[in-house]
Amino acid sequence: MTRTEVASYLAEPSFSPLDRQFAFLMERLAGGDRPELLLAAALVSQRRESGNVCLDLAEIAGAPWEPSAATSVPELAEWRSQLRAAPAVVGVPGEVKPLILDAHDRLYLRRYWWYEDQVASTLLTRSADPMGQTMPIADSTLRAHLEQLFPGPPNSLNWQRIAAWVALRKRLCVITGGPGTGKTTTVVRILALLAECAKPHPLRWVVAAPTGKAAARLQESLRAQKAKLVAQFPAAIDLPDEVKTIHRWLGAIPNSPYFRHHSKRPLPVDVLVVDEASMVDLALMAKLLTAVPTTARIILLGDKDQLASVEAGNVLGDLCAQAEPNRFSPELAREYSRVSDSELPLNRRRRGNEALTSVAPSREYTPGIEMESPHVDSYEVRVSGEGGRRSDEGGVESALADGLVELQTNYRFGPASGIHQASQAVRRGDAETVLKLLESPKGSDDGSIAGRAIPGRSAFKAALRDRILQHYGGVVQTRDPQTALEMINQFRLLAAVREGPYGVLALNGVIEEILRDAGLLGRTEEWYAGRQILVTANDYSLDLFNGDLGIALGDAAGLTRVWFPGPEGTVRSLAPARLPAHETAFALTVHKSQGSEFEEVLLVLPDRSSRVLTRELIYTGLTRARKRTEVWYDTAVFREAVARRTVRSSGLRDRLWASTS
């Protein structure tokens, strides 16, 4: 492999100008003419753009650059040796170098190694201290509170109740589960329990979500349930009324990667709740965790089977990567038996002999090198012995598993519903069961699912026409903003991709054509009545956020305004010229639909396979509907998509779970 060959390869369109310039800079800093370094630097930059935290050298070492290419990537030992021979730019974990190569042959941009280090260390540290901030309360009183908040038959495993007890007992609690399993209901009742147990001292709350849409949904649910809980638990009056985006809580600084809150200026909080945690990328999670005081509780909510974050990382997926969910240490099980008639299932992990000895700050990073807050600590878990991070009864990883609860009862869909059966089959990778469900629709009850072969491109518009007029015809003719906003959540067309004949851009154009052909839209105007809008950038001054949906309608004076939901069932409007970045949204990508729910969904998959078509995308698309999902698909493409899993290169999973085998 010569430098000329590498430079020619980097000219391919799969590499961005940023990838190329970064790679050439690393080579210059290392002394020039280093083809192995040039290739590795370009690939690690490229992989980050596609959601990977690092470049796993072992995955591609020795393989051809392209399936038909004659030139191959260096063998692993040679590649590792060449990178180590460039000490000016390649360092080991903890060093201040642009690139970090760890002991497992994972190459990182240094910033992303630091993010991963922060997240892993913080999660392990909090998990290792189960008594952190535990509130003194009699077992009999706690039992009564749990039974009142989470009623159910005795001797049964009520996972919502277990989650509440774990959140009280642990400094880190992760609650995962699919749509309809009651994650939001559970966390609101957990907050009521914490408020009651903390009396007479009020708690300071931070309730956050990654997007404005998700924050608005959680806030609505929180306020509604709070009003009901006050009668049972007077302390619930102190529950938070406001849910903000993570960026707003941290205090985003315009045109800066920094936030106002960080490790040296932490958030004033006793309990942090993060909803839709699967959407939080590694960088944002690291910044959030470093801004939370060590005394605070952290509760993360999310669906581990949904699509990973758009940016690099898959934090919730890595955090929930243990083989057996809802398995607990003997110590935690003994404690739970004092407040419940049921017994927790025990984990089966091998016990280790290494003992956790301390958790302490390991280093202070140099201002200007780490592009975070100029004063940031990193924490490491120190263990005696080698080969793991475990204590004598399950250790750090068992402590981590003790904080993970998967809700398993679906309160929205019965076990016989089509959406429930199909989504569970997708989780298992069982495409044939899903195809049978799509080919044999299951009635018209809530949770039904149906499918059909994707119409050919020439017939697609005609096949879509009746559905669009049925669901969007009334919306574009409505003149009442509140009614229109309610109507746009009844139905949504979802696409798997953005470009191409079955991508979201083309679908929005087809929908507009159908509405115009029916005489429901004018022929030329951009801001026609009934145009649905998706905000694609945050604007804190306007209180609009990425993912917010609105609709264009005339006001009383006949002027076109864009209307959005306001607080407590109200509506508000803005002139179109004031909107932040936005796009037409009759159809959305599945990625953009995360955090949203609609009564009915039509999921349109392309007629050709693509790397973006994965099991997680299909699962997310199917579960956006509350009542009915229909899928238009090509059978072969569908099978490939369900078989393809989202795999992102990262060391986080190994850091958290490597010693649990």
Side-chain angles (χ1 to χ4, degrees):
M1 183 178 70
T2 67
R3 187 186 184 283
T4 301
E5 289 174 328
V6 174
S8 176
Y9 177 50
L10 298 191
E12 296 290 329
S14 59
F15 292 96
S16 70
L18 177 61
D19 300 333
R20 289 188 283 270
Q21 292 304 315
F22 175 75
F24 291 133
L25 174 61
M26 293 300 99
E27 185 188 43
R28 288 197 301 273
L29 292 176
D33 196 15
R34 293 182 179 270
E36 292 83 4
L37 172 63
L38 186 66
L39 176 63
L43 287 172
V44 76
S45 176
Q46 179 197 57
R47 294 297 176 91
R48 186 200 65 81
E49 286 294 326
S50 59
N52 295 283
V53 175
C54 59
L55 171 66
D56 191 335
L57 301 182
E59 284 187 357
I60 61 173
W65 289 353
E66 302 289 348
S68 59
T71 307
S72 296
V73 174
E75 296 294 335
L76 180 59
E78 177 191 356
W79 206 0
R80 182 196 306 126
S81 175
Q82 291 294 332
L83 293 176
R84 294 290 188 210
V89 295
V90 180
V92 298
E95 290 186 337
V96 182
K97 301 290 177 63
L99 295 170
I100 300 297
L101 182 60
D102 73 6
H104 302 281
D105 297 313
R106 290 184 290 247
L107 186 67
Y108 294 81
L109 298 171
R110 182 180 179 278
R111 180 194 292 200
Y112 280 84
W113 174 85
W114 182 86
Y115 290 148
E116 186 175 280
D117 184 63
Q118 286 294 108
V119 170
S121 300
T122 302
L123 294 175
L124 289 173
T125 300
R126 290 178 182 275
S127 298
D129 181 13
M131 296 304 294
Q133 194 80 351
T134 297
M135 301 167 184
I137 181 172
D139 289 343
S140 58
T141 303
L142 180 55
R143 177 192 284 257
H145 288 340
L146 289 170
E147 291 176 353
Q148 188 176 9
L149 284 166
F150 304 98
N155 301 314
S156 64
L157 285 173
N158 185 324
W159 291 110
Q160 291 184 330
R161 184 186 300 175
I162 293 168
W165 183 80
V166 168
L168 182 70
R169 177 70 177 80
K170 302 278 290 181
R171 290 170 59 202
L172 173 68
C173 178
V174 181
I175 303 172
T176 185
T181 54
K183 296 187 295 294
T184 303
T185 298
T186 300
V187 79
V188 174
R189 292 176 177 268
I190 288 173
L191 298 185
L193 175 66
L194 293 174
E196 187 72 20
C197 293
K199 291 191 310 186
H201 306 291
L203 296 173
R204 298 169 299 172
W205 316 93
V206 166
V207 184
T211 67
K213 180 71 174 178
R217 285 185 55 217
L218 180 57
Q219 179 171 283
E220 180 182 355
S221 179
L222 180 58
R223 289 177 175 175
Q225 293 190 53
K226 175 181 174 179
K228 299 176 183 177
L229 285 170
V230 169
Q232 290 179 300
F233 290 86
I237 194 69
D238 295 324
L239 294 191
D241 286 315
E242 188 172 27
V243 181
K244 299 179 184 178
T245 63
I246 296 172
H247 287 80
R248 293 202 74 179
W249 278 116
L250 289 177
I253 300 173
N255 303 314
S256 169
Y258 303 107
F259 288 101
R260 292 185 174 88
H261 289 287
H262 44 75
S263 64
K264 299 300 182 183
R265 189 179 178 232
L267 288 161
V269 58
D270 298 309
V271 180
L272 166 71
V273 176
V274 181
D275 194 19
E276 297 289 353
S278 64
M279 299 170 65
V280 183
D281 60 84
L282 180 70
L284 185 57
M285 186 66 80
K287 295 173 184 179
L288 177 62
L289 293 178
T290 57
V292 178
T294 57
T295 55
R297 298 174 188 275
I298 297 176
I299 302 173
L300 304 179
L301 305 173
D303 185 346
K304 63 181 177 63
D305 297 305
Q306 278 194 168
L307 284 164
S309 56
V310 175
E311 300 297 330
N314 183 17
V315 177
L316 186 66
D318 289 340
L319 185 53
C320 298
Q322 80 281 12
E324 293 181 292
N326 294 338
R327 298 278 178 172
F328 302 91
S329 67
E331 178 187 9
L332 199 77
R334 285 194 299 268
E335 293 183 11
Y336 184 69
S337 67
R338 298 202 300 263
V339 298
S340 174
D341 296 324
S342 59
E343 295 183 1
L344 294 180
L346 301 181
N347 64 41
R348 303 171 187 173
R349 294 191 176 88
R350 184 184 61 205
R351 289 170 56 179
N353 297 318
E354 302 81 11
L356 178 70
T357 58
S358 66
V359 179
S362 62
R363 64 189 68 85
E364 185 98 1
Y365 285 104
T366 305
I369 299 297
E370 179 52 56
M371 299 179 68
E372 299 302 316
S373 167
H375 303 289
V376 185
D377 294 330
S378 174
Y379 290 81
E380 65 181 9
V381 179
R382 301 195 184 106
V383 296
S384 60
E386 296 180 356
R389 293 173 174 166
R390 286 177 286 188
S391 67
D392 58 355
E393 192 167 20
V396 177
E397 285 83 7
S398 277
L400 186 62
D402 280 348
L404 306 183
V405 181
E406 182 175 339
L407 304 182
Q408 298 182 335
T409 301
N410 197 302
Y411 299 94
R412 181 183 305 162
F413 304 127
S417 79
I419 292 177
H420 178 74
Q421 291 186 39
S423 62
Q424 296 307 302
V426 170
R427 288 180 61 188
R428 300 190 302 268
D430 182 1
E432 299 310 312
T433 293
V434 186
L435 289 170
K436 289 178 182 177
L437 290 168
L438 295 177
E439 293 164 2
S440 303
K442 295 184 68 66
S444 58
D445 296 331
D446 288 359
S448 66
I449 192 166
R452 60 165 291 179
I454 182 83
R457 299 177 189 182
S458 60
F460 186 82
K461 180 178 174 181
L464 192 61
R465 183 179 184 278
D466 289 345
R467 300 293 301 280
I468 295 305
L469 294 180
Q470 174 190 354
H471 292 287
Y472 288 156
V475 176
V476 299
Q477 297 179 81
T478 300
R479 294 298 175 260
D480 176 60
Q482 193 156 32
T483 302
L485 288 170
E486 292 172 358
M487 292 176 69
I488 66 174
N489 285 319
Q490 299 301 305
F491 171 80
R492 186 65 49 181
L493 194 153
L494 300 181
V497 294
R498 184 171 177 81
E499 308 287 345
Y502 298 105
V504 71
L505 297 179
L507 293 178
N508 275 309
V510 170
I511 292 170
E512 287 180 324
E513 288 180 13
I514 291 171
L515 294 173
R516 287 194 174 100
D517 291 347
L520 299 176
L521 302 183
R523 292 286 171 182
T524 58
E525 68 269 27
E526 176 185 5
W527 287 102
Y528 51 82
R531 182 186 177 193
Q532 297 182 37
I533 293 299
L534 175 75
V535 175
T536 58
N538 295 333
D539 190 321
Y540 295 97
S541 64
L542 296 176
D543 204 29
L544 286 177
F545 305 98
N546 186 10
D548 285 351
L549 285 169
I551 189 165
L553 291 175
D555 62 10
L559 299 175
T560 299
R561 309 278 291 181
V562 182
W563 301 82
F564 296 92
E568 300 182 0
T570 62
V571 294
R572 63 194 184 96
S573 67
L574 294 166
R578 296 190 62 198
L579 292 179
H582 59 275
E583 57 190 33
T584 302
F586 292 109
L588 298 176
T589 62
V590 175
H591 278 86
K592 290 291 187 181
S593 73
Q594 285 195 100
S596 299
E597 291 179 346
F598 307 96
E599 295 298 302
E600 185 175 339
V601 160
L602 172 57
L603 174 61
V604 176
L605 302 178
D607 58 352
R608 297 179 183 180
S609 186
S610 167
R611 288 182 299 175
V612 304
L613 293 175
T614 63
R615 182 181 306 178
E616 291 80 8
L617 183 140
I618 301 296
Y619 172 87
T620 303
L622 292 179
T623 56
R624 294 310 89 200
R626 286 187 286 261
K627 292 186 176 180
R628 186 175 188 272
T629 296
E630 183 174 346
V631 186
W632 291 6
Y633 61 95
D634 174 271
T635 301
V637 171
F638 188 87
R639 285 195 179 102
E640 286 185 34
V642 174
R644 185 184 293 116
R645 301 208 65 171
T646 300
V647 179
R648 291 187 167 182
S649 296
S650 162
L652 182 59
R653 180 175 301 194
D654 283 352
R655 288 182 185 229
L656 297 175
W657 300 106
S659 60
T660 61
S661 58

